């Protein structure tokens, strides 16, 4: 049997007491709607009302769904009315943190310079009596050293003519060239989630092949240099690609692999330089013959400077890496693998192929550094062809936040440090090692962004929510806590 209260009218309205309740609810809803409509006609929406309505619409999918327990503002990462201003984003962004890390390292480096200065030590004996003398001596010691560093790396007003005055800048660009290209190789691997510390070995292998092609072969102008360039790039790409292949096939960690490959390349170079195929005839030292004149980089601003074609190739490599990461499908796959390899594989990306390819490209970029050394700067092959460029490239990539243009700028900075350190020691007697201390401090601060923000008072903190802010959250969440 069916209860009378459950019977319905043909129109679908329930009968009995439920019908009375339904009619009453309908009447109340209609009255409320009429009142709301009457009120809205005379209410001018404020920006806060529009923002709240937009947030509610976002959270409820335009009214199609109920409000979620988590505010849409929390889901999107934006706090309405919060401190997410343009100035705060600029001064707390990763680029500004890198700049402040360099500044903080220079300040601490200046204090270390002052501690070793004789005049500072002399004024410290009567610090309490005349503190101004002490602080003046500290300032003079630090500024003298940094001015000498600037004059040795950017502009020397005592130089002979315009050419002599800008000679330090040309030297900085020359030294920065292998730092930039090797740093790009490390940065590219970082973006793909790989820690490539094998740039040192990749530079060496590129130098071996490029140097052999340069002194053992004798080809026409243009063709010979192109062959040297290709040989160096291929040498670095093979050395880096082998690491990627072993990681993809066996799961071996790239850090262990690259460290071992660095040693293999170094001792292979030392062995080859003592063989007749590579050792210069009549020499007992481990040094190769001089490269053929057709196989060396031309000096782009004349013979008075060492700046060569490799710097222009470094700029081209920076543009290429930027395009690869931001405008190509392959670069998107690299970034996806770096962000989450499992998710990338689920999305159909071949993670193993990406690992091999990115390490090969990283090795090729580092190989440009090897070519720049043997065909541009040194024009011979020695066991110090890579110097410490491969390891400094890690710092350059970290300072550049693994971005192409950031790495380019960091390479210029470290090139300036290297170029100006000698002049700083000559003029002021400050040890060259102080530059290494500053570089180490930069790495320290780059690895600890919260520390840098705290020192300069740039820690982004949410302001306390006002009652209006709480009402917005309540409207967004439907009152859910």
């Amino acid at each position: 049997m069916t209860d009378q209260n459950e019977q319905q009218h043909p129109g679908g309205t329930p009968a009995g007491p439920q019908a009375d309740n339904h009619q009453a609810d309908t009447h109340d809803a209609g009255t409320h709607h009429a009142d709301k409509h009457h009120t809205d006609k005379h209410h001018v929406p404020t920006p806060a009302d529009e923002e709240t309505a937009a947030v509610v619409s976002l959270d409820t999918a335009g009214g199609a769904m109920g409000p979620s327990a988590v505010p849409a503002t929390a889901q999107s990462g934006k706090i309405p009315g919060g401190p997410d201003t343009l100035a705060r984003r600029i001064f707390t962004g990763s680029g500004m943190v890198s700049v402040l890390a360099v500044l903080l390292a220079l300040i601490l480096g200046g204090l270390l310079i002052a501690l070793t200065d004789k005049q500072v030590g002399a004024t410290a004996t009567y610090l309490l009596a005349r503190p101004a003398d002490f602080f003046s001596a500290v300032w003079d010691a630090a500024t003298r050293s940094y001015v000498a560093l600037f004059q040795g790396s950017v502009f020397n007003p005592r130089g002979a003519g315009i050419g002599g005055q800008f000679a330090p800048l040309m030297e900085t660009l020359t030294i920065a060239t292998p730092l930039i290209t090797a740093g790009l190789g490390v940065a590219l691997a970082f973006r793909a989630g790989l820690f490539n510390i094998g740039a040192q070995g990749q530079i060496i292998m590129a130098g071996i092949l490029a140097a052999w092609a340069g002194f053992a072969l004798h080809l026409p102008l243009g063709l010979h240099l192109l062959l040297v360039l290709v040989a160096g790039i291929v040498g670095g790409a093979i050395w880096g690609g082998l690491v990627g292949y072993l990681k993809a096939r066996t799961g071996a960690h790239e850090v262990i692999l690259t460290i071992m490959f660095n040693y293999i390349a170094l001792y292979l170079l030392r062995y080859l330089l003592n063989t007749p195929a590579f050792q210069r005839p009549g020499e007992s030292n481990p040094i190769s013959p001089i490269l053929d004149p057709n196989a060396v980089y031309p000096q782009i601003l004349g013979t008075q400077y060492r700046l060569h074609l490799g710097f222009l190739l470094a700029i081209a490599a920076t543009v290429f890496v930027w395009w690869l990461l931001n405008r190509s499908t392959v670069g998107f796959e690299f970034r996806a693998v770096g962000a989450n390899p499992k998710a990338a594989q689920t999305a159909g990306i071949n993670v193993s192929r990406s690992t091999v390819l990115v390490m090969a490209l990283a090795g090729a970029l580092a190989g440009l550094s090897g070519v720049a050394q043997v065909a541009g700067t040194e024009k011979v092959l020695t066991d110090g062809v890579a110097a410490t460029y491969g390891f400094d490239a890690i710092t350059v990539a970290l300072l550049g936040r693994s971005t192409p243009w950031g790495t380019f700028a960091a390479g210029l900075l470290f090139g300036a440090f290297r170029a100006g350190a000698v002049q700083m020691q000559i003029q002021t007697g400050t040890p060259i090692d102080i530059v290494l201390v500053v570089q180490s401090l930069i790495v320290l601060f780059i690895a600890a962004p919260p520390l840098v923000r705290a020192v300069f008072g740039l820690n982004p903190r949410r302001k306390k929510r006002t009652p209006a802010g709480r009402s917005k959250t309540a409207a967004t969440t439907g009152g859910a806590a």
Side-chain angles (χ1 to χ4, degrees), residues 157-175:
R158 295 190 295 271
I162 297 296
Q165 291 172 344
F166 283 98
L169 178 61
M170 300 302 105
E171 188 65 18
T172 291
L173 299 181
T174 303
I175 296 174

Side-chain angles (χ1 to χ4, degrees), residues 441-458:
L441 289 172
I442 291 174
V443 176
L444 173 64
F445 295 133
I446 286 294
L451 174 61
V452 177
R453 293 192 181 101
V455 170
F456 290 95
L458 297 177

Side-chain angles (χ1 to χ4, degrees), residues 378-429:
E378 305 297 335
K379 299 180 177 60
V380 294
L381 179 66
T382 64
D383 58 357
V385 61
T388 60
Y389 286 119
F391 299 116
D392 291 342
I394 301 172
T395 307
V396 169
L398 289 173
L399 180 58
R401 298 288 176 179
S402 299
T403 62
W405 293 111
T407 302
F408 183 86
L412 293 179
L413 176 65
F414 276 60
F417 282 157
R418 280 175 171 248
V422 176
Q423 187 68 21
M424 182 179 67
Q425 186 177 34
I426 293 174
Q427 288 190 15
T428 66

Side-chain angles (χ1 to χ4, degrees), residues 247-267:
K247 179 176 177 62
R249 292 287 294 179
T250 67
H253 202 285
E254 70 275 8
V255 171
I256 304 299
L257 292 172
T258 48
I259 290 175
M260 295 299 102
F261 274 53
N262 285 342
Y263 282 107
I264 293 172
L266 175 61
Y267 288 111

Side-chain angles (χ1 to χ4, degrees), residues 11-345:
T13 304
Q18 292 182 357
D20 296 337
N21 293 337
H22 175 75
Q23 292 173 359
D25 292 342
T26 305
H27 175 72
D28 293 341
T31 304
H32 175 71
H33 177 73
D35 292 341
K36 183 176 182 297
H37 179 71
H38 178 72
T39 303
D40 291 345
K41 288 173 63 177
H42 299 283
H43 176 67
V44 178
T46 64
D49 295 333
E50 294 177 355
E51 186 178 6
T52 302
V55 172
V56 173
S57 176
L58 172 65
D59 192 46
T60 61
M65 300 172 58
S68 64
V70 180
T73 53
Q75 298 167 12
S76 63
K78 180 183 178 182
I79 307 169
D84 189 19
T85 62
L86 177 61
R88 180 166 289 276
R89 288 199 299 269
I90 291 174
F91 285 102
T92 60
S94 60
M96 180 56 67
V97 170
S98 298
V99 173
L100 294 178
V102 174
L103 177 61
L104 188 57
L106 290 174
I107 292 173
L108 294 180
L111 294 177
L112 292 175
I113 292 172
L115 288 176
T116 61
D117 186 76
K118 294 181 180 180
Q119 184 63 27
V120 172
T123 57
T125 58
Y126 54 91
L127 171 62
L128 297 180
R130 296 171 61 183
D133 291 354
F134 173 77
F135 291 111
S136 176
V138 170
W139 174 259
D140 289 343
T143 53
R144 278 200 317 269
S145 296
Y146 284 145
V147 167
L149 183 69
F150 178 82
Q151 292 177 353
S153 60
V154 180
F155 181 78
N156 185 5
R158 295 190 295 271
I162 297 296
Q165 291 172 344
F166 283 98
L169 178 61
M170 300 302 105
E171 188 65 18
T172 291
L173 299 181
T174 303
I175 296 174
T177 297
L179 286 172
I180 292 170
T181 49
L184 289 172
V186 177
L188 180 62
F190 280 168
R191 296 294 293 272
L194 298 172
F195 194 27
N196 176 27
I197 60 174
Q200 189 80 1
Q202 294 152 15
I203 292 173
I204 291 173
M205 293 304 298
I208 291 174
L209 292 184
W212 182 86
F215 67 73
L217 304 177
H218 302 282
L219 300 173
L221 181 66
L223 179 61
H224 199 176
L225 179 58
L226 180 62
L227 180 62
V228 169
L229 180 62
V230 171
I233 292 175
V234 170
I238 291 175
W239 209 243
L242 283 174
V243 174
Y245 176 78
L246 291 174
K247 179 176 177 62
R249 292 287 294 179
T250 67
H253 202 285
E254 70 275 8
V255 171
I256 304 299
L257 292 172
T258 48
I259 290 175
M260 295 299 102
F261 274 53
N262 285 342
Y263 282 107
I264 293 172
L266 175 61
Y267 288 111
L268 176 62
L269 171 63
R270 291 178 177 176
Y271 166 76
L272 291 175
L273 286 175
N274 286 284
T275 61
F278 277 82
Q279 190 172 26
R280 183 182 301 179
E283 280 283 347
S284 59
N285 295 323
I287 186 172
S288 74
I290 300 175
L291 270 66
D292 192 90
N294 292 341
V296 299
Y297 282 157
Q299 293 165 306
I300 58 179
L301 292 178
T303 57
Q304 59 179 332
Y305 304 123
R306 294 201 304 165
L307 186 63
H308 50 73
L309 180 63
F311 180 71
L312 299 181
L313 294 178
I315 297 176
T318 306
V319 175
F320 168 74
V321 174
W322 174 85
W323 173 85
L324 178 69
L325 288 174
N326 298 286
R327 292 293 184 270
S328 70
T329 304
V330 174
F332 173 78
E333 292 180 355
F334 289 167
R335 290 186 287 115
V337 172
N340 192 325
K342 293 183 179 179
Q345 189 169 12

